[in-house]
Amino acid sequence: MTTTTWPAVRVRVPRLSASAIWAGMRRQKLLTIALGILAVMIFLAAVGPIIAPHDPESVLRETLLDEQGQPILNSQGDPRTQLVNLRAPSGTYWFGTDEKALDVFSRTISAPRVDLVIAIASTIIGLGAGSVIGLVAGYAAGRGRLVGSLAEVLTRFMDIIQAFPVFIVALALVAVIGSGQDKVIYVLSFLFTPIFFRYVRAETLLVRELTFVEAERAVGNPTRRIMFNHILPNSVTTATVQGSAVMGYAILLTAGLSFVGAGVAPPTPEWGAMIRSGVELMQSGQWWTSVFPGITLGLTVFSLAVIGESIRVRWRGSGLRGY
C-alpha cells in the first residue's frame, strides 16, 4: 500500500498594519472625512457641555461701564448689567449669541448629546423590536391557519404605519404622548420598527427554507431555539446595515419636530430648535443664530449617509445576503 504525502500549504494571514490603514484612508477620502466628522460629534456628545466656554442653558450678562471704564452702580450699590443678546461672532463669542442671550457656540457643541442620543437610542430600539417582530412574522407566514393569519395581521399593521407620511405621524404621536427627549425616542422607535421589520421578515422567509434549518427541525430542536439561535443571527444583517442611514434620518426627524415646537423644548440645546429660533432673525441680518447649528446638523447627517452607503456597498460586494 502506497502512502501519498501531500506538500504542506502555507496560508499567509493578512495583517492590519498602520500603512495598510493609511493606504485605505487615502483611497477613500470621503469616507475618512465622514468618519472624522462622526468621531468629533461623538466626542462632543460625551464632553461637549463640559468643554463649552459658557453654560449652554444660562443667560449671558455683562457689566455696564462708564466712560472711564468703571462699573455703573445701581441704587443698591451693585454693578448694573445687561443681556448679551444678538452679538455677532467675535473672539469672545465665537458663534455669537441669540435673542435670549445664549451662547450659540456652547449650545452648538452641546447639542450632539441630545441629538445623537435620540438617534442612537431610537435606532437600537427600533432595530430590536423590528427584528423580533419580523422574525416571528416571517417564520410563521404560511404555517397554519391561525399562526399564518396572525403573521399576516402583523405585516399589514406595519404596512399601515408606513403608508402615512412619517413626519405627520410623528407630530400626531407627540401631540398625544407629549414632547421631550424621552418622548421623541419612543415616537421614533415606533416609526423605525416597520423599517427593520420588513428587512428581517424578508430574510427570515429565505433563511427558514435552508437545509440547516430543516436539519435543526429534524433533530427535534424547539421552535424558539431555531428562531432565535439560528434564523435571527442569519436574518438581521440587512437590517443592521441600514442602521447608519436610519440614524441620520432620526437626527433629521428630531430637528424637524423641534423646529415646529413639538420635539425637544428650549432651553435644552438642540439643533432644530436653535435653527427655528434664528429663522426670523436672518431677515434682519442676525444670520449666525441659525447658520452654525444648520451647518453642524448637515455635516452630521452627511457623515452618517456616507458611512451607511459605504457599509452597504462593501456588504453587497462581499456577496453576503444575511446568511
Side-chain angles (χ1 to χ4, degrees):
M1 180 177 180
T2 304
T3 303
T4 304
T5 303
W6 297 95
V9 178
R10 293 184 178 182
V11 179
R12 185 178 180 181
V13 180
R15 296 181 179 180
L16 189 62
S17 61
S19 59
I21 295 175
W22 177 249
M25 293 174 64
R26 293 183 61 183
R27 287 195 302 268
Q28 299 186 4
K29 295 181 179 180
L30 188 60
L31 177 60
T32 303
I33 294 173
L35 290 172
I37 294 173
L38 183 60
V40 171
M41 294 306 162
I42 294 175
F43 173 77
L44 292 178
V47 301
I50 300 175
I51 65 176
H54 304 280
D55 188 339
E57 299 184 15
S58 295
V59 175
L60 299 176
R61 294 179 177 272
E62 65 180 3
T63 303
L64 293 176
L65 304 176
D66 57 18
E67 296 179 356
Q68 288 74 32
Q70 299 298 321
I72 300 176
L73 306 179
N74 56 22
S75 57
Q76 286 78 26
D78 298 323
R80 295 179 59 185
T81 60
Q82 67 177 359
L83 293 176
V84 186
N85 55 343
L86 294 179
R87 296 292 178 89
S90 63
T92 305
Y93 308 109
W94 294 354
F95 288 179
T97 61
D98 61 12
E99 76 283 2
K100 297 179 181 178
L102 299 173
D103 184 51
V104 177
F105 176 75
S106 299
R107 292 174 61 77
T108 300
I109 67 175
S110 300
R113 176 168 292 188
V114 175
D115 288 274
L116 283 184
V117 166
I118 291 176
I120 294 173
S122 60
T123 302
I124 292 176
I125 296 174
L127 174 61
S131 298
V132 173
I133 301 174
L135 172 68
V136 173
Y139 188 82
R143 297 183 180 276
R145 179 175 299 179
L146 178 60
V147 176
S149 299
L150 292 176
E152 187 67 20
V153 169
L154 281 175
T155 304
R156 298 288 80 81
F157 177 71
M158 295 298 172
D159 290 342
I160 292 173
I161 296 176
Q162 290 189 299
F164 296 95
V166 175
F167 190 71
I168 301 301
V169 177
L171 283 176
L173 292 176
V174 169
V176 173
I177 68 175
S179 60
Q181 182 174 345
D182 295 340
K183 305 297 178 58
V184 173
I185 292 176
Y186 300 150
V187 169
L188 296 186
S189 301
F190 176 79
L191 294 175
F192 293 157
T193 297
I195 298 176
F196 297 114
F197 166 85
R198 300 199 67 85
Y199 287 117
V200 176
R201 178 181 178 274
E203 294 290 342
T204 301
L205 290 173
L206 296 175
V207 175
R208 72 174 189 176
E209 305 299 333
L210 296 180
T211 306
F212 79 94
V213 177
E214 295 293 337
E216 293 293 334
R217 294 195 193 99
V219 298
N221 280 321
T223 301
R224 183 177 61 181
R225 178 181 176 84
I226 295 174
M227 290 173 60
F228 290 94
N229 288 18
H230 300 283
I231 297 180
L232 182 60
N234 292 283
S235 302
V236 77
T237 305
T238 310
T240 306
V241 167
Q242 302 298 322
S244 179
V246 173
M247 283 179 57
Y249 191 32
I251 293 177
L252 286 177
L253 283 176
T254 302
L257 289 173
S258 299
F259 186 88
V260 299
V264 180
T268 302
E270 197 281 325
W271 289 323
M274 295 173 64
I275 295 172
R276 174 65 183 89
S277 66
V279 167
E280 298 177 357
L281 298 173
M282 294 185 68
Q283 299 179 358
S284 57
Q286 288 83 16
W287 51 269
W288 56 87
T289 54
S290 289
V291 168
F292 290 116
I295 292 175
T296 311
L297 170 65
L299 288 175
T300 305
V301 176
F302 164 78
S303 66
L304 290 170
V306 171
I307 293 171
E309 179 66 15
S310 177
I311 294 174
R312 185 185 64 82
V313 171
R314 285 178 174 270
W315 173 71
R316 287 190 174 182
S318 65
L320 298 175
R321 288 297 182 270
Y323 50 89

